[in-house]
Amino acid sequence: MSGNVDWDSKTVIGLKAKAPKVARNAGDLNAARRSGAVVATDKKVTAGGNKARAAPDHQKIAKLDRENEVAPPAKVTASVGKVSIHTRLEKQLTQKDLAQKTNEKPSVIQDYESGKAIPNPQILSKMERVLGVKLRGVDIGKKLEGSKKS
């Protein structure tokens, strides 16, 4: 049995690698340099700055952003809300009833009637079918004709 076994070597299991030491002051840093250790210095970018005062570059960029903002989407016109309220009351429906018939939430109907909603053609067509009046286009409030299927 003449194997290549080295009986004098040691294998240490679970030895943790030494973590790099952070020098807290200039004396520790100089001592590490004198001993020949590898020294790396990283300067913090925002250290010591006045955080309350933004740099002028950031102010200019923010101003440009405000100038280039997209206009908010259009809301439903007031006439749509008035017509829907008027016809809903003629048919003796509550907002909740109209919401159930259109499969929408009552808050959606409320937004359309108050003019706060962004127009959605699908919701408007559902409301048109239930109420029987046009809520889109030029002739808002006009009664819908029956289906044109022959």
Side-chain angles (χ1 to χ4, degrees), residues 88-132:
R88 177 174 58 80
L89 292 176
E90 278 181 2
K91 294 188 178 243
Q92 297 178 345
L93 295 172
T94 63
Q95 286 182 344
K96 187 176 179 181
D97 295 336
L98 181 59
Q100 285 177 343
K101 289 186 177 196
T102 58
N103 291 330
E104 296 293 337
K105 294 181 181 177
S107 60
V108 172
I109 303 298
Q110 184 179 3
D111 287 345
Y112 273 89
E113 289 184 353
S114 64
K116 295 178 185 174
I118 298 168
N120 182 341
Q122 292 174 328
I123 296 174
L124 285 170
S125 69
K126 289 179 191 177
M127 289 173 65
E128 284 176 345
R129 267 185 262 128
V130 172
L131 295 173

Side-chain angles (χ1 to χ4, degrees), residues 45-46 50-51 53-66:
V45 178
T46 58
N50 184 0
K51 294 189 169 100
R53 185 179 150 260
D57 295 339
H58 298 297
Q59 290 173 351
K60 290 177 186 174
I61 292 170
K63 185 177 179 182
L64 282 173
D65 283 345
R66 283 191 301 271

Side-chain angles (χ1 to χ4, degrees), residues 22-85:
V22 177
R24 299 287 180 204
N25 56 28
D28 291 343
L29 185 61
N30 289 333
R33 285 183 181 147
R34 281 192 300 272
S35 69
V38 177
V39 177
T41 57
D42 294 329
K43 184 173 182 178
K44 291 185 179 177
V45 178
T46 58
N50 184 0
K51 294 189 169 100
R53 185 179 150 260
D57 295 339
H58 298 297
Q59 290 173 351
K60 290 177 186 174
I61 292 170
K63 185 177 179 182
L64 282 173
D65 283 345
R66 283 191 301 271
E67 288 174 1
N68 294 339
E69 283 193 23
V70 180
K75 306 283 185 200
V76 205
T77 59
S79 60
V80 171
K82 288 178 184 174
V83 168
S84 64
I85 291 171

